[in-house]
Amino acid sequence: KAGVTQTPRYLIKTRGQQVTLSCSPISGHRSVSWYQQTPGQGLQFLFEYFSETQRNKGNFPGRFSGRQFSNSRSEMNVSTLELGDSALYLCASSLVAVQSTEAFFGQGTRLTVV
Amino acid sequence: AQRVTQPEKLLSVFKGAPVELKCNYSYSGSPELFWYVQYSRQRLQLLLRHISRESIKGFTADLNKGETSFHLKKPFAQEEDSAMYYCALSGGYSTLTFGKGTMLLVSP
């Protein structure tokens, strides 16, 4: 069974631009979460989607947004990029959206803002 | 607010030595605790969760609600255990709050 797939793997953008990252969950998984990983802050939760609905949102500015499609694929968008947005963005999928479920992670998209 | 603290950034031990990776949490409700591991050049993956009460690769972790801790232990470390270990808490749905991680280095 294919794992969580994130595209692109690497991205370089200029300050002020916007970017869209994509995540394809494991087949049958309906919950998709996004995390930002930086050396200073570690792994921080961005948002979680289940059946096309955002169920939970982390403490990030409104420039960070996401959506989930009917096939459970998800995208996240960052507008007006700042240098501090440079990070590894991880997507995780889960079979169901319950507390004890295992999250399966993708390999991430490395975003560099210059 | 929920929080996970891993006090050690780096833990270096010799092969065969016992290992204990510390994790403390803060959460007002009834949390689910996990340990995730990231080996070099691999994706983050689940090692174990407290609800399963299982031992994976010789690792165990016991949830101590009185001390709000979920320390990861292994009696005899192996070189292949070298990796980044993250303690995580789920307070609802499938979202996770992670600690900042502990790098475990096992030397021969």
Side-chain angles (χ1 to χ4, degrees), chain A residues 3-4 31 33 35 37 40-43 45 48 55-56 90 94 96-103 105-107, chain B residues 27 30-32 34 36 38 41-46 49 51 86 90-100:
Chain A
V4 178
S31 172
S33 301
Y35 297 85
Q37 186 175 27
Q41 298 300 317
L43 281 152
F45 168 71
E48 187 248 355
R55 288 294 191 95
N56 212 354
L90 293 174
S94 303
V96 292
V98 296
Q99 197 179 8
S100 60
T101 192
E102 176 179 357
F105 284 83
Q107 291 194 300
Chain B
Y27 184 66
S30 183
E32 294 290 337
F34 305 81
Y36 279 80
Q38 188 166 31
R41 301 182 196 281
Q42 294 187 28
R43 61 186 69 194
L44 196 59
Q45 58 187 283
L46 178 67
R49 51 189 148 181
I51 196 171
Y86 294 94
S90 176
Y93 301 120
S94 51
T95 62
L96 296 166
T97 298
F98 285 92
K100 293 205 173 179

Side-chain angles (χ1 to χ4, degrees), chain A residues 8-101:
Chain A
R9 291 290 310 279
Y10 302 92
L11 209 48
I12 300 176
K13 289 286 187 179
T14 305
R15 269 183 304 175
Q17 287 186 312
Q18 74 164 12
V19 67
T20 299
L21 312 181
S22 180
C23 171
S24 293
I26 292 172
S27 178
H29 285 196
R30 296 169 64 192
S31 172
V32 173
S33 301
W34 288 89
Y35 297 85
Q36 182 195 65
Q37 186 175 27
T38 58
Q41 298 300 317
L43 281 152
Q44 292 186 285
F45 168 71
L46 280 156
F47 25 66
E48 187 248 355
Y49 288 88
F50 181 76
S51 293
E52 301 178 68
T53 301
Q54 187 182 92
R55 288 294 191 95
N56 212 354
K57 189 177 192 305
N59 189 25
F60 278 82
R63 299 185 296 106
F64 291 81
S65 62
R67 59 178 175 169
Q68 186 181 32
F69 302 96
S70 58
N71 62 357
S72 293
R73 191 177 69 85
S74 178
E75 289 181 347
M76 69 163 279
N77 183 276
V78 188
S79 62
T80 320
L81 283 165
E82 300 177 359
L83 295 179
D85 297 333
S86 294
L88 180 67
Y89 289 89
L90 293 174
C91 166
S93 76
S94 303
L95 185 60
V96 292
V98 296
Q99 197 179 8
S100 60
T101 192

Side-chain angles (χ1 to χ4, degrees), chain B residues 75-99:
Chain B
F76 307 103
Q78 304 298 315
E79 289 179 68
E80 56 265 30
D81 295 330
S82 295
M84 193 73 175
Y85 291 80
Y86 294 94
C87 182
L89 176 157
S90 176
Y93 301 120
S94 51
T95 62
L96 296 166
T97 298
F98 285 92

